[in-house]
Amino acid sequence: MAEGLDESPDILTTFDVGFSGIPDDLLKQLTVQEIMLGESLLTPGLQTSVMVHSHINEIPIKNFDLLKNTEMSIDIEKSLLTKFKIDPNMSVRQTTYRLDNRKLINNNVEEFYIHACDQTLLDNAATLVSKLWKCTSPSTVVRDVLSSCAGAKSLDIESSDPNRDYIAENIRPFQVVAQQANVALAGGNDPSFLHYMTYQNFGTHHFRSLNWMTKQSAVAEYTFQETGSLTGQAYPFSILTHNFPCDFDLLSDVLNGVGINGQNLNTLFTFNPIMKMFNKFGSTTVGCGIGSGLPKLSSSNQGSAQQQNVCPDYAHLYVHKRQARMALLEQDKIALRIMVPWIPTLNVGKIIRLNIPNKRDETGSTLNYGSGDYLIVHIKHHLKRRQPATITMDCVSRTVGAGVV
């Protein structure tokens, strides 16, 4: 339907947007002005939108209702990246579900936004799951429900513990996955699993732990130069802008159950109604009250599972830690916000490295505070006609894998 070009041939980025099965009359004199693609670790979906300019008063009249439920295709290429051995292409195939904010910008042209989503998001909204899994790992439940109920074709699922009895009580597939993320453990003791999506392979569902994510090697390395990059947009690892919203937050760590010296401040009290017994897990610190800084209460079948002919629920391993881990990804914990030239190989859940050389060290080996590895939490691809394509990332420190801001 439309093609956009960056102005300078050194930073040329082309993009083409199309819709399957749409008459040529409808697409006539439509121009894509802007493309926005978003991923987030906190969202099991992808945010795709294009801003379009359309000539009005055409004959025949354009019926934009025809765009609903069509496949939107977006193909992007930045041939310059082949010089750096980086894949220059990115392709998106999603279902158009919304057209909004339509308004006149002059007497002959109107502007509006077309939004698309992965088909699994629509299938999730139209599907309910009612099923029992007996002594099954969270990863197995997730793989089963995403593939058979949500129609996901590309999955990236990390193995998790423990095996549990689980009943999906007529809820949507993504709700099932969210419930499994709340109880899944990485390495037997880390309850930090997330369900998120990336644009990889035309839309991939991931079920991964923060522990796994933060152990990856950096996929890109960015070095700050005080006077700006000599090659600017022509170099894919230039830093266009960056800032540090939150370097550390001790109060937040403590409120999330991580002590000054990294100790666990969470205490869990479980109650077994069969045995009529309370148990205490987690921090055993005794202060002015009962338990440590963050007390939680949960029912559990621990100790009576065999008598009940069910699997243990292992509530004592995840209930008192899960909330603390998820709080590390909240917006006010973002450690690095950075804008860089567009490349298609960055995704949420990956690690990037930031270098800020100390200018008094001529060798460049001394790095200033703020240098280090960061986990991408949110990412936005921004492509606009006659302007350089960019990526903006919100990141947290690699230390979130250990439960620290």
Side-chain angles (χ1 to χ4, degrees):
M1 178 181 73
E3 184 179 86
L5 301 180
D6 285 336
E7 212 164 36
S8 168
D10 291 334
I11 53 175
L12 186 67
T13 302
T14 65
F15 56 81
D16 186 78
V17 179
F19 299 89
S20 63
I22 296 299
D24 292 338
D25 288 342
L26 180 62
L27 302 180
K28 182 180 179 182
Q29 294 183 328
L30 293 187
T31 304
V32 173
Q33 298 292 327
E34 191 172 359
I35 297 175
M36 290 152 287
L37 309 171
E39 301 173 356
S40 174
L41 284 183
L42 305 180
T43 304
L46 301 168
Q47 300 89 49
T48 304
S49 64
V50 297
M51 189 254 280
V52 177
H53 284 180
S54 170
H55 283 256
I56 57 176
N57 300 317
E58 295 290 327
I59 301 295
I61 296 172
K62 298 173 182 174
N63 179 8
F64 292 122
D65 284 349
L66 297 176
L67 293 174
K68 183 169 63 175
N69 199 35
T70 60
E71 182 184 76
M72 176 194 286
S73 62
I74 302 175
D75 294 298
I76 308 167
E77 182 180 7
K78 189 173 184 178
S79 57
L80 173 72
L81 297 178
T82 57
K83 297 180 180 180
F84 301 91
K85 297 182 179 180
I86 299 173
D87 184 356
N89 300 296
M90 179 176 179
S91 294
V92 177
R93 300 291 184 271
Q94 294 192 329
T95 303
T96 304
Y97 74 93
R98 181 180 174 88
L99 189 151
D100 62 13
N101 291 319
R102 190 161 60 90
K103 61 183 180 182
L104 288 175
I105 58 175
N106 60 45
N107 289 335
N108 296 310
V109 177
E110 63 181 357
E111 175 184 286
F112 53 86
Y113 288 83
I114 303 174
H115 304 271
C117 66
D118 190 78
Q119 182 62 39
T120 55
L121 189 63
L122 296 171
D123 291 344
N124 172 71
T127 306
L128 294 174
V129 181
S130 181
K131 185 177 179 179
L132 164 66
W133 284 267
K134 183 72 173 176
C135 285
T136 306
S137 71
S139 296
T140 301
V141 175
V142 168
R143 186 179 299 279
D144 187 6
V145 77
L146 285 179
S147 59
S148 62
C149 301
K153 295 179 175 59
S154 180
L155 298 175
D156 172 40
I157 297 178
E158 178 183 349
S159 296
S160 62
D161 301 312
N163 290 352
R164 303 170 67 253
D165 293 336
Y166 172 70
I167 301 176
E169 299 177 331
N170 214 37
I171 58 178
R172 291 189 170 90
F174 287 5
Q175 289 176 285
V176 173
V177 178
Q179 291 181 356
Q180 294 306 301
N182 285 335
V183 303
L185 297 170
N189 60 9
D190 176 41
S192 64
F193 272 82
L194 294 165
H195 173 210
Y196 60 98
M197 280 197 73
T198 65
Y199 285 99
Q200 296 167 290
N201 298 322
F202 299 103
T204 298
H205 283 269
H206 303 263
F207 187 70
R208 288 281 183 183
S209 67
L210 288 176
N211 181 278
W212 181 90
M213 294 180 213
T214 55
K215 289 181 177 178
Q216 300 175 95
S217 300
V219 296
E221 187 169 351
Y222 296 92
T223 301
F224 175 72
Q225 299 183 26
E226 190 175 38
T227 57
S229 173
L230 297 178
T231 50
Q233 283 277 351
Y235 182 59
F237 301 111
S238 300
I239 297 174
L240 304 179
T241 65
H242 77 291
N243 60 79
F244 302 95
C246 177
D247 283 306
F248 65 82
D249 189 338
L250 177 59
L251 178 59
S252 177
D253 288 341
V254 173
L255 291 174
N256 287 328
V258 180
I260 294 175
N261 297 315
Q263 70 271 30
N264 177 26
L265 299 181
N266 295 277
T267 300
L268 172 66
F269 299 94
T270 62
F271 176 67
N272 187 319
I274 301 297
M275 302 179 67
K276 296 181 174 57
M277 180 184 298
F278 278 95
N279 288 289
K280 184 172 75 170
F281 300 94
S283 175
T284 58
T285 301
V286 178
C288 296
I290 301 174
S292 191
L294 272 80
K296 293 181 174 64
L297 179 65
S298 173
S299 61
S300 175
N301 64 15
Q302 200 71 22
S304 65
Q306 186 174 2
Q307 176 184 342
Q308 296 173 259
N309 193 31
V310 296
C311 273
D313 55 31
Y314 296 97
H316 65 287
L317 294 179
Y318 64 84
V319 171
H320 57 303
K321 297 179 182 178
R322 173 69 177 177
Q323 179 183 351
R325 286 304 178 91
M326 295 303 99
L328 297 174
L329 302 180
E330 292 176 354
Q331 194 62 31
D332 64 341
K333 310 301 189 307
I334 295 301
L336 170 67
R337 181 166 292 125
I338 183 171
M339 181 187 291
V340 300
W342 183 85
I343 60 175
T345 52
L346 295 176
N347 299 98
V348 294
K350 292 185 177 180
I351 297 290
I352 62 169
R353 178 164 296 161
L354 176 65
N355 298 322
I356 309 175
N358 188 300
K359 63 181 181 180
R360 293 188 179 276
D361 182 356
E362 296 181 357
T363 67
S365 60
T366 302
L367 299 178
N368 283 340
Y369 176 71
S371 300
D373 291 351
Y374 293 87
L375 173 68
I376 305 172
V377 179
H378 310 288
I379 190 169
K380 180 180 179 181
H381 303 249
H382 192 184
L383 298 97
K384 199 169 184 178
R385 284 177 59 84
R386 300 185 179 89
Q387 291 187 22
T390 62
I391 285 181
T392 302
M393 294 175 282
D394 283 356
C395 309
V396 293
S397 172
R398 188 193 282 270
T399 58
V400 298
V404 180
V405 173

